[in-house]
Amino acid sequence: MSDKTMTAEQVVGRLRSGMTLGIGGWGSRRKPMALIRALLRSDVTDLTVVSYGGPDVGLLAAAGRIRTLVAPFATLDSVALEPHFTAARQRGAFDLVELDEAMFMWGLTAAAQRLPFLPVRAGLGSDVMKVNPHLRTVTSPYEDAEELVAVPALCLDAALVHLNRADPQGNAQYLGPDPYFDDLFCQAAAASYVSCERIVDTADLLKEAGPQTLLIKRAFVNGVVQTPNGAHFTSCVPDHDRDEAFQQAYARAARDAQAWQGFSERFLSGDEEAYQAAVKAFHEEQQS
Amino acid sequence: MSGGATTTGVTRAEYCVVACAEAWRHSGEILASPMGTVPAIGARLAKLTFAPDLLLTDGEALLIGDVPALGARAQVVEGWLPYRQHLALVATGRRHVMMGAGQIDRHGNQNISCIGDWARPARQLLGVRGAPVNTLNNTTSYWVPKHSPRAFVEQVDMVCGVGYDRAAEAGPSATRFHHVPEVVSNLGVFDFATPDHSMRLRSRHPGVTVEQILKATGFALTVPDEVPYTREPATEELRLVREVIDPKGARDREVPA
């Protein structure tokens, strides 16, 4: 069977400017941040980003890589507003397709099931219909004749997700309490890349948890990257919680251009190894 | 009218907690989804007293079987509710959410997306989140901790949560399960029990005048001839709030006395 292990740089090498890119996780939880950081080091741009947004959206927006954002929100969870996202919106930096959380889920589901759309009640009466003039309604062909929103499929060129474990073939496992929508992102995408805390042998996948934690099947995965602490600073429980101190520092820096330049130079100017070393140094400073 | 608060020592935050708890009184066996500190205390108070059948979450993916203090870990888990099940549960209607509102208007339209022109907002907020799906599928109430003309506006800048007029306009699919029973603020409790479903003052918290509420509301509010006070918490309810649910006083940070 094919070994799909690769580096974050190799994953980014498969991405092209202008692509529609789905990013797994939710808010500031289990985001494939190491892959995002690798993406930031490349010249891939002009992206349509599809995400339950967190700092993935913030970082890509700050770097000017987003042409269109498809999202129901962007937040850091314990910090309500994502400062790069809000600033980018306020300066009109990208186009926004603002969907309701459930509409977004059914859009991904439609793409995964190769349907053009799925009918939902959500959206009717709200300004989601107004700010997305491309949205259409559909009338039930049955006796009820209900008029519902036809959420178009959110088809992705590529998906990036981060999980706790994976085997070299791409079977991937989450060990936390919530799968989020990561399998759906992979199923909705033409190509999917899984980063994980640790790559293990297939035979070892069930040593830590039951078979229902095997979220993603290898048939939907094109590349596997081992990136310990690769969701940092978002949460990836039980391997690590959100790094609240670092997130605070990120949010503070993001609210000020000069501070952001300093933050960016310190943490984002090198490779992933340099990033993790800088984070370690940051925490040692906090201690002293 | 500075009655209740001074004589019994009940704080404004505690009246707000009781008012929020009341939202879930007749809900039965459904999920209570409180957003914000005071609604979270209110939902737990309801569960511990007059609405024991309510389902509560730990704020993440677990349904909890006990009622821990705010910020403490649950000791009992009775179910699993990750985000995608949560979104699917909304469609079943077995949920009563109390959401926040950056803006809310007299027909109950709510905005948490952005302030100003949507295409280029003066102030970007969270985004629509689940407000559209919530309001069309399950009971939705609102909590506004700072009642002001900036929050209670003539017209919201972006309709996220759907109000009565907009639901009616959108037709029977939109009104079929639409139900917005009430809005609780730091000044009073409001509902839509008027012929045209426009907002009505139901009760004022002790220490608050009707004039104060009218001044803080940016639209014409329906005010009945007699405006009752929000009810007093029972002694046992106060004990539960102060000693069991919120011993660290998080409620006072959301609603200063």
Side-chain angles (χ1 to χ4, degrees):
Chain A
M1 252 184 305
S2 50
D3 183 325
K4 295 173 191 162
T5 55
M6 54 175 77
T7 64
E9 282 65 32
Q10 285 171 315
V11 169
V12 171
R14 304 254 189 117
L15 305 179
R16 294 287 170 266
S17 294
M19 272 188 169
T20 297
L21 183 64
I23 304 173
W26 172 287
S28 191
R29 301 162 203 214
R30 226 179 62 222
K31 285 289 177 178
M33 297 300 283
L35 297 182
I36 299 298
R37 288 186 283 268
L39 180 53
L40 290 170
R41 293 192 295 271
S42 78
D43 56 8
V44 173
T45 188
D46 198 32
L47 294 167
T48 294
V49 170
V50 179
S51 175
Y52 285 112
D56 52 332
V57 164
L59 283 166
L60 292 171
R65 306 302 180 92
I66 304 178
R67 170 190 283 263
T68 304
L69 175 67
V70 183
F73 59 77
T75 181
L76 299 173
D77 297 319
S78 52
V79 178
L81 301 182
E82 214 302 336
H84 283 313
F85 164 73
T86 57
R89 275 282 286 148
Q90 286 160 205
R91 65 173 187 269
F94 52 73
D95 294 330
L96 180 63
V97 176
E98 186 168 357
L99 298 177
D100 163 85
E101 288 170 6
M103 295 171 80
F104 187 99
M105 172 175 79
W106 291 113
L108 283 179
T109 306
Q113 300 186 5
R114 302 188 293 183
L115 295 169
F117 70 89
L118 277 169
V120 299
R121 198 178 302 282
L124 293 172
S126 78
D127 279 343
V128 164
M129 302 305 285
K130 199 169 93 187
V131 302
N132 294 293
H134 67 284
L135 289 176
R136 297 282 175 270
T137 58
V138 63
T139 304
S140 165
Y142 298 104
E143 270 176 35
D144 55 82
E146 282 208 53
E147 189 195 26
L148 300 163
V149 178
V151 181
L154 290 172
C155 298
L156 311 172
D157 294 312
L160 306 179
V161 298
H162 183 83
L163 281 85
N164 301 89
R165 305 284 177 269
D167 70 12
Q169 287 74 44
N171 295 300
Q173 179 180 42
Y174 77 108
L175 297 172
D178 201 316
Y180 307 116
F181 300 81
D182 288 1
D183 50 332
L184 210 45
F185 275 98
C186 293
Q187 290 166 9
S192 301
Y193 302 94
V194 176
S195 65
C196 65
E197 292 295 306
R198 191 147 55 83
I199 293 178
V200 298
D201 287 340
T202 309
D204 291 337
L205 280 170
L206 291 192
K207 282 191 173 164
E208 284 182 89
Q212 68 276 19
T213 59
L214 298 175
L215 185 64
I216 297 172
K217 295 152 188 63
R218 60 184 164 81
F220 298 97
V221 176
N222 300 73
V224 182
V225 184
Q226 177 168 291
T227 56
N229 213 27
H232 186 270
F233 51 88
T234 71
S235 65
C236 184
V237 292
D239 290 308
H240 61 82
D241 286 323
R242 182 182 303 128
D243 187 340
E244 296 287 357
F246 191 89
Q247 176 163 289
Q248 290 277 345
Y250 164 86
R252 256 196 318 275
R255 291 185 197 114
D256 175 87
Q258 208 180 340
W260 180 248
Q261 200 185 339
F263 185 95
S264 208
E265 276 165 21
R266 178 171 181 191
F267 295 105
L268 300 171
S269 59
D271 61 9
E272 181 67 13
E273 204 180 327
Y275 173 82
Q276 296 291 350
V279 169
K280 197 163 169 250
F282 167 84
H283 281 290
E284 281 161 5
E285 271 171 36
Q286 301 268 304
Q287 297 290 313
S288 58
Chain B
M1 282 293 173
S2 60
T6 48
T7 53
T8 65
V10 180
T11 66
R12 180 69 58 76
E14 286 161 348
Y15 284 113
C16 292
V17 165
V18 166
C20 289
E22 283 290 336
W24 285 287
R25 182 180 280 274
H26 302 294
S27 295
E29 200 166 15
I30 56 124
L31 178 70
S33 284
M35 315 279 173
T37 302
V38 164
I41 300 167
R44 289 179 201 209
L45 178 63
K47 164 109 176 158
L48 285 175
T49 55
F50 48 77
D53 290 337
L54 286 176
L55 281 72
L56 297 177
T57 76
D58 66 345
E60 300 264 341
L62 304 178
L63 290 170
I64 56 177
D66 55 348
V67 184
L70 224 54
R73 264 180 102 88
Q75 300 301 311
V76 183
V77 173
E78 66 166 337
W80 184 47
L81 194 70
Y83 280 114
R84 72 173 85 177
Q85 282 199 25
H86 206 136
L87 291 176
L89 180 84
V90 170
T92 72
R94 287 183 182 79
R95 178 172 180 257
H96 180 165
V97 60
M98 185 174 276
M99 298 191 78
Q103 295 177 325
I104 191 160
D105 71 19
R106 66 193 295 258
H107 295 287
N109 296 293
Q110 167 253 28
N111 176 21
I112 46 170
S113 173
C114 64
I115 303 298
D117 179 21
W118 179 86
R120 182 139 181 203
R123 205 152 65 83
Q124 175 65 41
L125 306 176
L126 283 170
V128 290
R129 298 220 63 151
V133 73
N134 287 343
T135 42
L136 260 57
N137 286 281
N138 62 206
T139 305
T140 304
S141 298
Y142 295 105
W143 160 244
V144 183
K146 278 188 199 147
H147 194 134
S148 79
R150 282 172 55 182
F152 285 69
V153 296
E154 188 63 47
Q155 202 170 14
V156 302
D157 293 337
M158 162 108 181
V159 175
C160 304
V162 179
Y164 281 95
D165 59 337
R166 291 289 293 261
E169 235 172 81
S173 295
T175 55
R176 192 170 165 197
F177 305 113
H178 181 264
H179 182 41
V180 181
E182 59 197 41
V183 178
V184 180
S185 82
N186 60 321
L187 299 182
V189 180
F190 307 83
D191 62 24
F192 299 91
T194 51
D196 66 344
H197 287 301
S198 60
M199 200 185 288
R200 182 188 79 132
L201 175 58
R202 184 199 287 166
S203 73
R204 52 185 161 135
H205 304 324
V208 179
T209 64
V210 172
E211 290 67 36
Q212 198 181 339
I213 291 172
L214 290 176
K215 210 173 155 200
T217 304
F219 53 78
L221 190 65
T222 299
V223 181
D225 295 339
E226 287 290 314
V227 181
Y229 283 117
T230 303
R231 80 162 172 88
E232 296 288 327
T235 309
E236 174 60 5
E237 287 177 325
L238 273 182
R239 188 191 69 81
L240 287 169
V241 169
R242 291 172 179 175
E243 295 173 23
V244 177
I245 306 169
D246 184 28
K248 290 182 181 158
R251 61 192 181 282
D252 300 324
R253 287 190 289 281
E254 195 165 70
V255 180

